[in-house]
């Protein structure tokens, strides 16, 4: 009998197993591990950006524990495209296994290589082309071109003796893509003819009805905005969205504006993209920021990062009037040609309001069609299911609401509901005799990167940060004679993040003194017990007086 | 010469002055103060709910400082409707001036009275009816019925010898309102014929094109969802949205489900609404929660609070599987018939995902038309401008992006751009000889309510909370002989919210010891200087070792 909450049984010969170490039940840090014939294959290895309840954290990694004893079994890491949530954790995996082959398309690998250089790593790269087929151990891989919000994305078919798996990666079906590179729906149909045993499908937009508007329809909207501008124009978008930037550049050329790139990742990525021919930049179009500042305002256009309201970005600094070089004035035009990632609303609208307050015209998703998504909504997902006609389906890349919506679409196209597997990170799914089913669960947690270290910040530290962030702390320090438990100096009571009023805690001092007299009278000399008594009396007083819940931190220093 | 950043000059005889103490440049805590002939009139007095950068705060009040010396000059407080952001701060104003007349429609005053009872206050209420005209000192007021997402909302015209002001309050133009009570566009036109010198207009949806769908179109969508349900149904919405709840009740009656109200404010407000006849509840429809739990699941429907993902709400607890009475199972239906207030996305989608994970079908704004806004979008605002034909316009109720969008609409209908005044909280606007213009500025800050006290939590405490919430703190405690600066016990170094690793700070102890030897050798005995030295050495070590920025908190206890 299978227990879905225990580690799975040994994998039967000839079967295929998969488990997501990140990216299912959440959006981000995508990483799926396949096991077949004793060998592993990893698809994607990305990071997740933290949310409100993970304060102070820089990045969240997939949890490698499930494979840490089997690193040598990994045949390859396949990257479907170059976004951070698909490649960002590769350097952390390479630290554990530096020589693993990393497989991907040209732009994907170029972006990965740049990232690895920052980590002083030289990965073993294996470039593949559209339609190419290549084996790694028992895995026979075929790569299909797909559209997404970055060029050169691929879906991957994995042929094994257990069956054929198709993983979409991130996908959409733009029928008029800017680079003419269509999602290979015909290839999917051909694979469907051959028989797809398990279809892993991007769920991000499964709740959204309909179809994505072609990326190329953004161009005319941008043109309309930029044509009317007679002062400074700043367009912010994702630093990897080559086609969006291409359209901005095209409009700049049309209206005789030169272009300055703002933001480290924008400069880096567009450098790579133009070098490899993904971005067409007319000779002399780019100008550096300092030079741009000396040019007439109607002859320059800035392409910037910061579209998600990142507080340290150039755009946020401009909105606060704190940018060293660019100060926004009435009549300037700013375009946020980007999505609004849930959770970033306050930050993004803070930037929009700051710019509006300075008198700028701010064009964004909410008031103009300056963004289209990179993920297939429901209408397109139906096309995919009908092309592939899979036997088993597993929605990936999504929170629970997206997974459920995607599963319903699969069923609507005729997939047996019993063959639609909704799993989340750590849930092990086995494909045995052509049927996919949950076989168990491995432990998968959040691995936090905070500053230089990985993993030492965990749930208990985060829970302390949440308490401190809500209510601050009150520290009570007492030096106590360890022989008799008598305080050798008056107690110090101080708070941070508790009150602006310097006298707020005065009353607590006498309460602590009374409590110390009591503990001394009772002959209590143990620091820990004294600390507990002090915490209790101060905690109760604060709750009654203020109805607040700061962290109470007593420190008893034993002297003598 | 007017300096827009200084307090305004004395108001000329016969002129009218106004200043928002909250609600402009932000959405929430609406409060506008008018001054004329030496007397004051207050329109609305609401609260604002805190955002991410105001952690731990319960409420934010308008800043009363500008009027605290003139409380006796207030003729009346006019409430346009019963939402918290319009009435929530009244009890705090009543503490300063208990006998001020509070003017509003029947439901508005009933909701206020209930709130005041919780504060043990008995306000002086002055009920007005639709179309009624009534004077308070030099202010001749007329009340116009308007639609909003709560019944009984009004706009107020303020006639003075300086001119006529029309304040929309929160407004929309539902042409098929559920209660048949239309926004009095004809009345606005008549007032426009008379001449409106200054028009204060709700900006909330000014960026949104078009028109609001009638509230009554929600009913059939709810019906469609509830008809198909054969298990438990829970509908969450705002606790003051009487018409939304009415439609839920109507569908419940239709499908033979009895209704249990969940959540303190839902029970209280619907009690008031049904008692006053705003909510029609068939005899025997309501059932209490305990009784509902014993009924067959397809014969009951729950109407609940918690639509914004409030972590302590019943719905959030159900989503986490922690509700004492209701446990969600596969096949249950949950409807979030509510807006998604920016900033609440993570919380709301957290609830949706939690419910989806448990197997429930979750219907929300993103996948069905179960919500319409209570505020006029651009198309409706044009109708308002064209009806009123104001001489001067001041957009209110909005962040900067909304104010700018609303101003553009005013100009598009022919209002002189010079007569469109964009102000924010604290900016003083005078209407002199028929022209409105900024005359100065008074200080307006955020007044925080945290637990039982008002105002003792200010910007410095919040900034400490933000630092603590991001990085925790490291406390270093040393008892030092005050005569010679020698440590009398080893230093204690401990951190909270810094690391899960108990040994993370071990190395810092020896660094502190070395630093103390140095300060002792230099003859430093002053606690403050020793603390600074310790903070510096620990801060530098943490930055280099971890690249993190916890708060460093040294405490030096002088003994002897």
């Amino acid at each position: 009998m299978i227990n879905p909450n225990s580690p799975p049984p040994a994998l039967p010969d000839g079967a295929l197993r998969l488990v997501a170490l990140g990216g299912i039940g959440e959006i981000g840090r995508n990483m799926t591990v396949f096991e077949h014939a004793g060998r592993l294959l990893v698809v994607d290895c990305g990071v997740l950006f933290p949310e409100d309840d993970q304060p102070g954290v820089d990045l969240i990694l997939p949890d490698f524990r499930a494979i840490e004893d089997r690193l040598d079994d990994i045949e390859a890491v396949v990257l479907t495209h170059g976004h951070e949530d698909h490649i960002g954790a590769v350097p952390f995996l390479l630290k554990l296994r530096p020589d693993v082959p990393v497989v991907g398309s040209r732009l994907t690998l170029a972006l990965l290589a740049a990232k690895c250089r920052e980590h002083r790593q030289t990965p073993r790269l294996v470039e593949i082309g559209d339609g190419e087929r290549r084996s790694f151990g028992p895995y026979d891989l075929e790569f299909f071109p797909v559209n997404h919000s970055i060029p050169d994305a691929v879906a991957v078919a994995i042929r094994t003796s257990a069956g054929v798996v198709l993983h979409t990666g991130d996908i959409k079906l733009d029928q008029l893509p800017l680079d003419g590179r269509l999602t290979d729906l015909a290839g999917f149909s051909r694979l469907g003819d051959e028989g797809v045993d398990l279809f892993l499908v991007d769920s991000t937009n499964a709740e959204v009805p309909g179809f994505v508007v072609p990326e190329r329809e953004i161009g005319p909207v941008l043109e309309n905005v930029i044509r009317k501008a007679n002062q400074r124009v700043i367009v912010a978008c994702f630093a990897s969205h080559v086609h969006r930037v291409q359209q901005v550049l095209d409009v700049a050329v049309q209206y005789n504006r030169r272009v300055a790139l703002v933001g480290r990742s924008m400069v880096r990525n567009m450098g790579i993209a133009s070098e490899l021919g993904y971005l067409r930049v007319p000779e002399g179009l780019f100008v550096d920021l300092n030079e741009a500042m000396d040019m007439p305002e109607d002859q320059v256009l800035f392409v910037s990062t910061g579209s998600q309201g990142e507080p340290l970005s150039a755009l946020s600094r401009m909105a606060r009037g704190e940018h060293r070089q660019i100060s926004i004035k009435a009549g300037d035009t700013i375009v946020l040609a980007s999505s609004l990632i849930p959770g970033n609303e306050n930050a993004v609208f803070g930037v929009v309001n700051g710019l509006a307050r300075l008198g700028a015209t701010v064009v964004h998703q909410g008031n103009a069609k300056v963004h289209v998504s990179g993920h297939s909504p429901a209408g397109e997902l139906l096309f995919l299911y009908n092309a592939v006609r899979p036997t088993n389906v597993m929605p990936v890349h999504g929170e629970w609401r997206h997974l459920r919506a995607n599963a319903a679409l699969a069923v609507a196209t005729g997939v047996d509901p019993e063959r639609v597997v909704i799993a989340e990170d750590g849930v092990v799914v086995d494909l045995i005799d052509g049927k996919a089913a949950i076989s168990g669960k491995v432990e998968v947690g959040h691995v936090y990167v905070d500053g230089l270290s990985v993993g030492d910040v965990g749930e208990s530290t985060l829970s302390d940060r949440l308490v401190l962030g809500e209510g601050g702390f009150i520290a009570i320090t007492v030096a106590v004679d360890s022989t008799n438990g008598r305080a050798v100096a008056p107690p110090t009571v101080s708070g941070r993040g508790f009150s602006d009023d310097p006298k707020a805690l005065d009353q607590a001092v006498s309460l602590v003194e009374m409590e110390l007299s009591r503990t001394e009278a009772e002959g209590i000399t143990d620091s820990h017990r004294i600390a507990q008594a002090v915490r209790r009396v101060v905690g109760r007083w604060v709750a009654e007086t203020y109805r607040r819940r700061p962290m109470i931190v007593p420190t008893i220093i034993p002297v003598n």
Side-chain angles (χ1 to χ4, degrees), chain A residues 176-476:
Chain A
L176 296 168
L178 209 69
D179 59 3
R181 184 175 173 272
L182 286 161
T183 290
D184 188 8
L185 204 58
F188 292 162
S189 292
R190 174 182 50 71
L191 198 73
D193 293 342
E194 182 181 325
V196 170
D197 298 283
L198 178 59
F199 190 25
L200 279 63
V201 187
D202 179 6
S203 308
T204 312
N205 271 344
E207 283 194 313
V208 179
F211 295 79
V212 168
V213 165
E215 170 68 25
R216 66 172 62 208
E217 294 195 11
I218 304 294
V221 180
L222 291 172
E223 198 214 310
N224 191 36
V225 170
I226 294 169
R227 179 173 45 80
K228 287 188 287 194
N230 48 22
Q231 289 179 200
R232 190 170 277 150
V233 175
I234 301 166
V235 181
C237 71
F238 282 112
S240 59
H241 205 319
V242 177
H243 292 162
R244 191 69 46 85
V245 172
Q246 182 70 63
Q247 299 193 86
V248 177
L249 301 190
D250 293 349
V251 178
V253 169
Q254 194 178 346
Y255 291 98
N256 299 310
R257 287 179 183 258
R258 295 182 75 193
V259 173
L261 300 177
V262 184
R264 204 175 59 91
S265 55
M266 185 65 78
V267 171
R268 188 192 69 177
N269 292 355
M270 293 308 135
I272 292 169
S274 68
E275 199 176 301
L276 298 183
Y278 293 92
L279 186 74
R280 299 181 316 279
V281 187
E283 188 69 33
L285 179 65
F286 281 157
V287 56
D288 79 33
L289 189 54
N290 288 320
E291 207 180 325
M293 293 312 296
D294 293 334
M295 292 178 57
E297 293 191 348
D298 60 349
Q299 292 177 23
V300 66
L301 183 151
F302 300 85
V303 177
S304 171
T305 54
S307 65
Q308 293 305 307
E310 301 89 335
L312 301 179
S313 68
L315 197 66
S316 285
R317 281 180 279 135
M318 291 177 211
R320 292 192 302 262
E322 292 171 3
H323 193 269
R324 211 159 32 88
Q325 290 163 293
I326 304 178
S327 54
I328 301 296
K329 38 182 221 294
D332 286 350
T333 302
I334 289 99
V335 183
L336 301 183
S338 51
S339 69
L340 180 44
I341 296 178
N344 294 350
E345 290 79 4
N346 284 344
V348 172
F349 287 129
V351 168
V352 172
N353 285 323
L355 296 168
R357 188 170 189 277
L358 295 168
T361 299
V362 189
V363 178
H364 57 88
Q365 223 200 165
N367 57 22
K369 192 71 191 165
V370 290
H371 175 71
V372 297
S373 173
H375 301 270
S376 281
E380 298 183 10
L381 292 173
L382 294 174
F383 271 75
L384 288 172
Y385 285 118
N386 287 328
V388 175
R389 292 148 286 149
T391 315
N392 298 277
V393 165
M394 183 169 151
V396 297
H397 300 172
E399 302 167 4
W400 271 90
R401 59 193 177 109
H402 308 114
L403 303 177
R404 286 235 181 268
N406 201 359
L409 295 170
V411 171
T413 63
V415 180
D416 179 355
E418 298 290 308
R419 300 281 182 120
V420 179
V421 182
I422 304 194
E424 61 186 342
D425 293 346
V427 171
V428 180
V429 175
D430 289 350
L431 179 66
I432 304 175
D433 298 331
K435 178 161 180 20
I438 291 170
S439 64
K441 195 171 184 175
V442 296
E443 214 181 318
V444 169
H446 285 102
V447 178
Y448 300 111
V449 181
D450 182 357
L452 292 178
S453 43
V454 179
D456 81 307
V457 168
E459 305 306 332
S460 102
T461 293
L462 291 188
S463 117
D464 280 352
R465 286 183 188 172
L466 291 171
V467 171
L468 289 166
E470 287 286 301
F473 69 90
I474 295 175
I476 310 104

Side-chain angles (χ1 to χ4, degrees), chain A residues 28 30 43-46 77-90 102-112 115 128 143-156 167-172 181 202 204 240 374-375 397:
Chain A
N30 296 290
V43 175
D44 291 325
C45 187
V77 176
V78 174
L79 304 177
T80 57
H81 61 279
H83 279 155
E84 286 298 320
D85 57 334
H86 292 255
I87 71 169
V90 171
V102 182
V103 182
S105 64
R106 201 149 66 104
L107 181 62
T108 305
L109 293 185
L111 293 170
L112 178 76
K115 170 177 296 294
I128 50 81
F143 300 91
F144 298 86
V146 301
N147 311 133
H148 185 41
S149 43
I150 187 170
D152 235 10
V154 296
V156 58
H167 191 314
T168 61
D170 287 357
I171 193 169
K172 68 170 168 177
R181 184 175 173 272
D202 179 6
T204 312
S240 59
H375 301 270
H397 300 172

Side-chain angles (χ1 to χ4, degrees), chain A residues 4-25:
Chain A
N5 291 312
S6 298
L11 184 65
D13 275 350
L16 175 73
R17 168 165 289 176
L18 70 101
V19 59
L21 305 186
I24 317 192

